[in-house]
Amino acid sequence: MNFETVVFYVFAALAVIAASRVVTARNPVHAALFLVLAFCSMAGVWILLEAEFLAITLVLVYVGAVMVLFLFVVMMLDINLVQLREGFWRWLPFGAVLAGLMAFEMIWVLGSSKISGGKEVIKHAADYSNTKELGRLIYTDYVYPFEIAAVILLVAMVAAIALTSRRRKDAKSQVVPEQVAVRKADRLRVVKMSAEKHAQKSDSTAGVAQ
Amino acid sequence: MMELLQTLLQTGQELLGPAWLPVWTLVKIMAIIVPIMVGVAYLTLAERKVIGYMQIRIGPNRVGYFGLLQPIADGVKLFFKEIIVPSGSSKFLFVLAPIMALAPSLAAWAVVPFTDGMVLSNLNAGLLYILAMTSLGVYGIIIAGWASNSKYAFLGAVRSAAQIVSYEIAMGFALVCVLMASQSMNLGDIVNGQQGRFGMLNWYLLPLFPMFLVYLISGVAETNRAPFDMAEGESEIVAGFHVEYSGMAFALFFLAEYANMILIAFLTSIMFLGGWLSPVPFLPNGSIWLLGKVSFILLLFLWFRATFPRYRYDQLMRLGWKVFIPITIVWVVVVAAWMQTPLWVW
């Protein structure tokens, strides 16, 4: 067993453990953090496949942004664990069928002759840039699918905002251009007055009046 | 010096055989991390001194000459303090959080070049790796805020998470401009792309000046430094995410913040200020230039803190989303169009 195989098994085991803890962890925040661990271990496996662009993007996008926002929401939820766990046995057969179906599909696809067949991963030289290759393919051969995917994402984003954005009528907000345009003279009045003296009573009363 | 290194390499190889590579890598890692930690320690002293002078005070001057032993005294004090774990906290995560804060900020140094070819890992996707590592740093803060089981810590964590995610987008787009200009994501190649006959006129500072400003300001926001230190906000939420931490656990957060500052300063110098290249053609290139540029940017960090009042949270979000992100997107298009014309001379 060479070093690479050892690393693969370590990452694969970590990914499997973390992924199963995602569904078995009691605390939703712990579950989300296990998902982060699963992503990181998968990124490790992908780096072993020389897909460093995808691996780093996985960490950058999913771990660095998506899961942060996910945690953000999960932390603020007030989840009743008892309510969440009831009906487990009732839905178990349904879930088991779904899981079995998915496992069957995956075995079918990955076991087909086109993809696997125990082919060796082609090793590239050190100066080979995975990123450049991917970029070239995405922006030439696959430019239309890529742009369609981008438009679909944009539509989804606009739809999500349109569905959830409701403005409260009594909400108060600040008008930024007005705030920026404020000059010192609008808010502040400088009053000129002579220095006060303690000695004469008549002067000091005049000073206070000002 | 080089001969000594050569003989050392050879004897090591003969002595340890296959185990030599990990040992030698560890030695190199220590050679990077130890100076960073010393730099962090003396950056804290520099901060107190510089801000002191800006406010016409003297700053620490009791421990050693000019207070030079102050960071060591601080370290010893923090080391011997008791670490208190709050009773309602999630203990494992509470301990994990400071580690999660410090580890990514040190891991990012793997691809930072110090001079031509002097880098731990000459990664082709170096820029992406840096982006990924700096985006992981937010987990330390989020986990700390949640695991502490305290309102103030939680509010600090939520503020910081939103802030870092917002400014990361602007930072990412600024880096897209850099990689378009240099046509490489390897940090060494980025610096070499700025080499030329005209010294500092060849740096990316000139064509990408708006991006330089966006990157620097976003860098201040990413590291949660004043005037963007909403995550701490002592006047509103006590000390934010690390309010429950004490002793060495708190010190790790502190180290992470300063290590991140140094990292951002290095990256800004490498990507916009020509790294180790000399600003004038008649002087030789060398690491000394890189260190000089880094020191200047670090001084800017301290200067900002002494000068600006803290932003209000909605102003911070407005600056990130409504000012920086549009500017960066426009500049990506401008640079892309500019590069198609003969006017692009970089």
PDB file of all heavy atoms in Angstrom, chain B residues 108-132:
ATOM      1  N   ALA B 108      -2.322  29.212   5.118  1.00  0.00           N
ATOM      2  CA  ALA B 108      -2.261  29.994   3.885  1.00  0.00           C
ATOM      3  C   ALA B 108      -0.825  30.344   3.509  1.00  0.00           C
ATOM      4  O   ALA B 108      -0.535  30.590   2.348  1.00  0.00           O
ATOM      5  CB  ALA B 108      -3.077  31.268   4.040  1.00  0.00           C
ATOM      6  N   TRP B 109       0.087  30.339   4.495  1.00  0.00           N
ATOM      7  CA  TRP B 109       1.477  30.733   4.213  1.00  0.00           C
ATOM      8  C   TRP B 109       2.197  29.740   3.332  1.00  0.00           C
ATOM      9  O   TRP B 109       3.281  30.051   2.827  1.00  0.00           O
ATOM     10  CB  TRP B 109       2.246  30.913   5.520  1.00  0.00           C
ATOM     11  CG  TRP B 109       1.846  32.149   6.223  1.00  0.00           C
ATOM     12  CD1 TRP B 109       0.873  32.255   7.159  1.00  0.00           C
ATOM     13  CD2 TRP B 109       2.369  33.454   6.032  1.00  0.00           C
ATOM     14  NE1 TRP B 109       0.758  33.561   7.558  1.00  0.00           N
ATOM     15  CE2 TRP B 109       1.672  34.312   6.880  1.00  0.00           C
ATOM     16  CE3 TRP B 109       3.370  33.976   5.207  1.00  0.00           C
ATOM     17  CZ2 TRP B 109       1.914  35.666   6.928  1.00  0.00           C
ATOM     18  CZ3 TRP B 109       3.627  35.323   5.265  1.00  0.00           C
ATOM     19  CH2 TRP B 109       2.898  36.153   6.128  1.00  0.00           C
ATOM     20  N   ALA B 110       1.608  28.548   3.128  1.00  0.00           N
ATOM     21  CA  ALA B 110       2.282  27.516   2.341  1.00  0.00           C
ATOM     22  C   ALA B 110       2.607  27.998   0.941  1.00  0.00           C
ATOM     23  O   ALA B 110       3.593  27.570   0.354  1.00  0.00           O
ATOM     24  CB  ALA B 110       1.413  26.267   2.280  1.00  0.00           C
ATOM     25  N   VAL B 111       1.785  28.889   0.364  1.00  0.00           N
ATOM     26  CA  VAL B 111       2.014  29.275  -1.027  1.00  0.00           C
ATOM     27  C   VAL B 111       2.562  30.696  -1.165  1.00  0.00           C
ATOM     28  O   VAL B 111       2.690  31.182  -2.277  1.00  0.00           O
ATOM     29  CB  VAL B 111       0.725  29.150  -1.856  1.00  0.00           C
ATOM     30  CG1 VAL B 111       0.291  27.705  -1.932  1.00  0.00           C
ATOM     31  CG2 VAL B 111      -0.380  29.994  -1.296  1.00  0.00           C
ATOM     32  N   VAL B 112       2.871  31.347  -0.034  1.00  0.00           N
ATOM     33  CA  VAL B 112       3.355  32.730  -0.127  1.00  0.00           C
ATOM     34  C   VAL B 112       4.843  32.729  -0.442  1.00  0.00           C
ATOM     35  O   VAL B 112       5.640  32.176   0.314  1.00  0.00           O
ATOM     36  CB  VAL B 112       3.094  33.483   1.195  1.00  0.00           C
ATOM     37  CG1 VAL B 112       3.725  34.859   1.148  1.00  0.00           C
ATOM     38  CG2 VAL B 112       1.617  33.591   1.451  1.00  0.00           C
ATOM     39  N   PRO B 113       5.255  33.321  -1.576  1.00  0.00           N
ATOM     40  CA  PRO B 113       6.678  33.362  -1.910  1.00  0.00           C
ATOM     41  C   PRO B 113       7.366  34.539  -1.222  1.00  0.00           C
ATOM     42  O   PRO B 113       6.790  35.623  -1.104  1.00  0.00           O
ATOM     43  CB  PRO B 113       6.672  33.548  -3.425  1.00  0.00           C
ATOM     44  CG  PRO B 113       5.403  34.254  -3.711  1.00  0.00           C
ATOM     45  CD  PRO B 113       4.431  33.931  -2.629  1.00  0.00           C
ATOM     46  N   PHE B 114       8.620  34.317  -0.770  1.00  0.00           N
ATOM     47  CA  PHE B 114       9.335  35.389  -0.076  1.00  0.00           C
ATOM     48  C   PHE B 114      10.331  36.080  -0.998  1.00  0.00           C
ATOM     49  O   PHE B 114      10.655  37.229  -0.842  1.00  0.00           O
ATOM     50  CB  PHE B 114      10.020  34.844   1.166  1.00  0.00           C
ATOM     51  CG  PHE B 114       9.023  34.325   2.153  1.00  0.00           C
ATOM     52  CD1 PHE B 114       8.694  32.985   2.186  1.00  0.00           C
ATOM     53  CD2 PHE B 114       8.358  35.195   2.999  1.00  0.00           C
ATOM     54  CE1 PHE B 114       7.743  32.521   3.066  1.00  0.00           C
ATOM     55  CE2 PHE B 114       7.404  34.732   3.878  1.00  0.00           C
ATOM     56  CZ  PHE B 114       7.096  33.387   3.905  1.00  0.00           C
ATOM     57  N   THR B 115      10.849  35.302  -1.957  1.00  0.00           N
ATOM     58  CA  THR B 115      11.595  35.891  -3.061  1.00  0.00           C
ATOM     59  C   THR B 115      11.492  34.892  -4.197  1.00  0.00           C
ATOM     60  O   THR B 115      10.809  33.882  -4.062  1.00  0.00           O
ATOM     61  CB  THR B 115      13.042  36.206  -2.660  1.00  0.00           C
ATOM     62  OG1 THR B 115      13.733  36.606  -3.826  1.00  0.00           O
ATOM     63  CG2 THR B 115      13.746  35.034  -2.051  1.00  0.00           C
ATOM     64  N   ASP B 116      12.108  35.179  -5.329  1.00  0.00           N
ATOM     65  CA  ASP B 116      11.897  34.325  -6.487  1.00  0.00           C
ATOM     66  C   ASP B 116      12.241  32.871  -6.176  1.00  0.00           C
ATOM     67  O   ASP B 116      13.389  32.543  -5.889  1.00  0.00           O
ATOM     68  CB  ASP B 116      12.764  34.839  -7.650  1.00  0.00           C
ATOM     69  CG  ASP B 116      12.182  34.396  -8.972  1.00  0.00           C
ATOM     70  OD1 ASP B 116      11.110  33.756  -8.957  1.00  0.00           O
ATOM     71  OD2 ASP B 116      12.780  34.690 -10.005  1.00  0.00           O
ATOM     72  N   GLY B 117      11.243  31.996  -6.206  1.00  0.00           N
ATOM     73  CA  GLY B 117      11.476  30.578  -5.986  1.00  0.00           C
ATOM     74  C   GLY B 117      11.523  30.153  -4.537  1.00  0.00           C
ATOM     75  O   GLY B 117      11.556  28.969  -4.236  1.00  0.00           O
ATOM     76  N   MET B 118      11.537  31.106  -3.613  1.00  0.00           N
ATOM     77  CA  MET B 118      11.615  30.741  -2.192  1.00  0.00           C
ATOM     78  C   MET B 118      10.206  30.630  -1.623  1.00  0.00           C
ATOM     79  O   MET B 118       9.649  31.583  -1.099  1.00  0.00           O
ATOM     80  CB  MET B 118      12.419  31.790  -1.429  1.00  0.00           C
ATOM     81  CG  MET B 118      13.005  31.258  -0.152  1.00  0.00           C
ATOM     82  SD  MET B 118      14.192  32.438   0.473  1.00  0.00           S
ATOM     83  CE  MET B 118      13.463  32.885   2.006  1.00  0.00           C
ATOM     84  N   VAL B 119       9.619  29.445  -1.789  1.00  0.00           N
ATOM     85  CA  VAL B 119       8.242  29.233  -1.369  1.00  0.00           C
ATOM     86  C   VAL B 119       8.114  27.785  -0.940  1.00  0.00           C
ATOM     87  O   VAL B 119       8.795  26.908  -1.461  1.00  0.00           O
ATOM     88  CB  VAL B 119       7.280  29.600  -2.527  1.00  0.00           C
ATOM     89  CG1 VAL B 119       7.632  28.876  -3.794  1.00  0.00           C
ATOM     90  CG2 VAL B 119       5.848  29.344  -2.162  1.00  0.00           C
ATOM     91  N   LEU B 120       7.264  27.543   0.056  1.00  0.00           N
ATOM     92  CA  LEU B 120       7.130  26.177   0.575  1.00  0.00           C
ATOM     93  C   LEU B 120       6.509  25.271  -0.474  1.00  0.00           C
ATOM     94  O   LEU B 120       7.000  24.181  -0.731  1.00  0.00           O
ATOM     95  CB  LEU B 120       6.267  26.196   1.848  1.00  0.00           C
ATOM     96  CG  LEU B 120       6.059  24.848   2.505  1.00  0.00           C
ATOM     97  CD1 LEU B 120       7.374  24.286   2.984  1.00  0.00           C
ATOM     98  CD2 LEU B 120       5.095  24.980   3.660  1.00  0.00           C
ATOM     99  N   SER B 121       5.411  25.727  -1.110  1.00  0.00           N
ATOM    100  CA  SER B 121       4.764  24.891  -2.106  1.00  0.00           C
ATOM    101  C   SER B 121       4.446  25.759  -3.327  1.00  0.00           C
ATOM    102  O   SER B 121       3.642  26.676  -3.233  1.00  0.00           O
ATOM    103  CB  SER B 121       3.477  24.307  -1.527  1.00  0.00           C
ATOM    104  OG  SER B 121       2.669  23.825  -2.560  1.00  0.00           O
ATOM    105  N   ASN B 122       5.076  25.444  -4.435  1.00  0.00           N
ATOM    106  CA  ASN B 122       4.902  26.253  -5.648  1.00  0.00           C
ATOM    107  C   ASN B 122       3.639  25.791  -6.377  1.00  0.00           C
ATOM    108  O   ASN B 122       3.696  25.143  -7.408  1.00  0.00           O
ATOM    109  CB  ASN B 122       6.137  26.109  -6.523  1.00  0.00           C
ATOM    110  CG  ASN B 122       6.172  27.165  -7.588  1.00  0.00           C
ATOM    111  OD1 ASN B 122       5.362  28.082  -7.573  1.00  0.00           O
ATOM    112  ND2 ASN B 122       7.085  27.030  -8.519  1.00  0.00           N
ATOM    113  N   LEU B 123       2.500  26.147  -5.812  1.00  0.00           N
ATOM    114  CA  LEU B 123       1.219  25.635  -6.290  1.00  0.00           C
ATOM    115  C   LEU B 123       0.741  26.481  -7.464  1.00  0.00           C
ATOM    116  O   LEU B 123       0.803  27.698  -7.429  1.00  0.00           O
ATOM    117  CB  LEU B 123       0.217  25.742  -5.142  1.00  0.00           C
ATOM    118  CG  LEU B 123      -0.979  24.813  -5.144  1.00  0.00           C
ATOM    119  CD1 LEU B 123      -0.519  23.389  -5.027  1.00  0.00           C
ATOM    120  CD2 LEU B 123      -1.882  25.167  -3.994  1.00  0.00           C
ATOM    121  N   ASN B 124       0.222  25.796  -8.511  1.00  0.00           N
ATOM    122  CA  ASN B 124      -0.299  26.545  -9.652  1.00  0.00           C
ATOM    123  C   ASN B 124      -1.573  27.301  -9.311  1.00  0.00           C
ATOM    124  O   ASN B 124      -1.813  28.386  -9.809  1.00  0.00           O
ATOM    125  CB  ASN B 124      -0.580  25.586 -10.806  1.00  0.00           C
ATOM    126  CG  ASN B 124       0.610  25.495 -11.718  1.00  0.00           C
ATOM    127  OD1 ASN B 124       1.403  26.426 -11.794  1.00  0.00           O
ATOM    128  ND2 ASN B 124       0.756  24.377 -12.381  1.00  0.00           N
ATOM    129  N   ALA B 125      -2.401  26.700  -8.480  1.00  0.00           N
ATOM    130  CA  ALA B 125      -3.658  27.346  -8.104  1.00  0.00           C
ATOM    131  C   ALA B 125      -3.484  28.094  -6.780  1.00  0.00           C
ATOM    132  O   ALA B 125      -4.373  28.105  -5.947  1.00  0.00           O
ATOM    133  CB  ALA B 125      -4.766  26.307  -8.002  1.00  0.00           C
ATOM    134  N   GLY B 126      -2.327  28.732  -6.594  1.00  0.00           N
ATOM    135  CA  GLY B 126      -2.006  29.358  -5.316  1.00  0.00           C
ATOM    136  C   GLY B 126      -3.012  30.393  -4.859  1.00  0.00           C
ATOM    137  O   GLY B 126      -3.404  30.439  -3.691  1.00  0.00           O
ATOM    138  N   LEU B 127      -3.470  31.200  -5.823  1.00  0.00           N
ATOM    139  CA  LEU B 127      -4.401  32.272  -5.479  1.00  0.00           C
ATOM    140  C   LEU B 127      -5.719  31.704  -4.948  1.00  0.00           C
ATOM    141  O   LEU B 127      -6.268  32.186  -3.957  1.00  0.00           O
ATOM    142  CB  LEU B 127      -4.647  33.111  -6.735  1.00  0.00           C
ATOM    143  CG  LEU B 127      -5.091  34.531  -6.542  1.00  0.00           C
ATOM    144  CD1 LEU B 127      -4.066  35.282  -5.746  1.00  0.00           C
ATOM    145  CD2 LEU B 127      -5.277  35.193  -7.886  1.00  0.00           C
ATOM    146  N   LEU B 128      -6.191  30.643  -5.616  1.00  0.00           N
ATOM    147  CA  LEU B 128      -7.431  29.987  -5.172  1.00  0.00           C
ATOM    148  C   LEU B 128      -7.250  29.395  -3.780  1.00  0.00           C
ATOM    149  O   LEU B 128      -8.139  29.483  -2.929  1.00  0.00           O
ATOM    150  CB  LEU B 128      -7.783  28.856  -6.129  1.00  0.00           C
ATOM    151  CG  LEU B 128      -8.686  29.169  -7.297  1.00  0.00           C
ATOM    152  CD1 LEU B 128      -8.841  27.934  -8.150  1.00  0.00           C
ATOM    153  CD2 LEU B 128     -10.044  29.600  -6.787  1.00  0.00           C
ATOM    154  N   TYR B 129      -6.081  28.800  -3.572  1.00  0.00           N
ATOM    155  CA  TYR B 129      -5.797  28.183  -2.275  1.00  0.00           C
ATOM    156  C   TYR B 129      -5.844  29.235  -1.174  1.00  0.00           C
ATOM    157  O   TYR B 129      -6.429  29.019  -0.107  1.00  0.00           O
ATOM    158  CB  TYR B 129      -4.421  27.518  -2.334  1.00  0.00           C
ATOM    159  CG  TYR B 129      -3.933  26.976  -1.023  1.00  0.00           C
ATOM    160  CD1 TYR B 129      -4.378  25.759  -0.559  1.00  0.00           C
ATOM    161  CD2 TYR B 129      -3.030  27.697  -0.248  1.00  0.00           C
ATOM    162  CE1 TYR B 129      -3.946  25.261   0.652  1.00  0.00           C
ATOM    163  CE2 TYR B 129      -2.588  27.210   0.956  1.00  0.00           C
ATOM    164  CZ  TYR B 129      -3.047  26.001   1.395  1.00  0.00           C
ATOM    165  OH  TYR B 129      -2.622  25.522   2.601  1.00  0.00           O
ATOM    166  N   ILE B 130      -5.247  30.402  -1.449  1.00  0.00           N
ATOM    167  CA  ILE B 130      -5.252  31.489  -0.470  1.00  0.00           C
ATOM    168  C   ILE B 130      -6.696  31.911  -0.168  1.00  0.00           C
ATOM    169  O   ILE B 130      -7.087  32.067   0.992  1.00  0.00           O
ATOM    170  CB  ILE B 130      -4.477  32.694  -1.027  1.00  0.00           C
ATOM    171  CG1 ILE B 130      -3.005  32.367  -1.132  1.00  0.00           C
ATOM    172  CG2 ILE B 130      -4.740  33.936  -0.208  1.00  0.00           C
ATOM    173  CD1 ILE B 130      -2.179  32.883  -0.025  1.00  0.00           C
ATOM    174  N   LEU B 131      -7.494  32.066  -1.239  1.00  0.00           N
ATOM    175  CA  LEU B 131      -8.893  32.467  -1.049  1.00  0.00           C
ATOM    176  C   LEU B 131      -9.630  31.442  -0.191  1.00  0.00           C
ATOM    177  O   LEU B 131     -10.383  31.797   0.717  1.00  0.00           O
ATOM    178  CB  LEU B 131      -9.594  32.574  -2.403  1.00  0.00           C
ATOM    179  CG  LEU B 131      -9.563  33.930  -3.075  1.00  0.00           C
ATOM    180  CD1 LEU B 131     -10.226  33.835  -4.425  1.00  0.00           C
ATOM    181  CD2 LEU B 131     -10.292  34.943  -2.221  1.00  0.00           C
ATOM    182  N   ALA B 132      -9.401  30.152  -0.486  1.00  0.00           N
ATOM    183  CA  ALA B 132     -10.088  29.099   0.260  1.00  0.00           C
ATOM    184  C   ALA B 132      -9.684  29.133   1.732  1.00  0.00           C
ATOM    185  O   ALA B 132     -10.527  29.046   2.630  1.00  0.00           O
ATOM    186  CB  ALA B 132      -9.777  27.735  -0.350  1.00  0.00           C
TER     187      ALA B 132
END
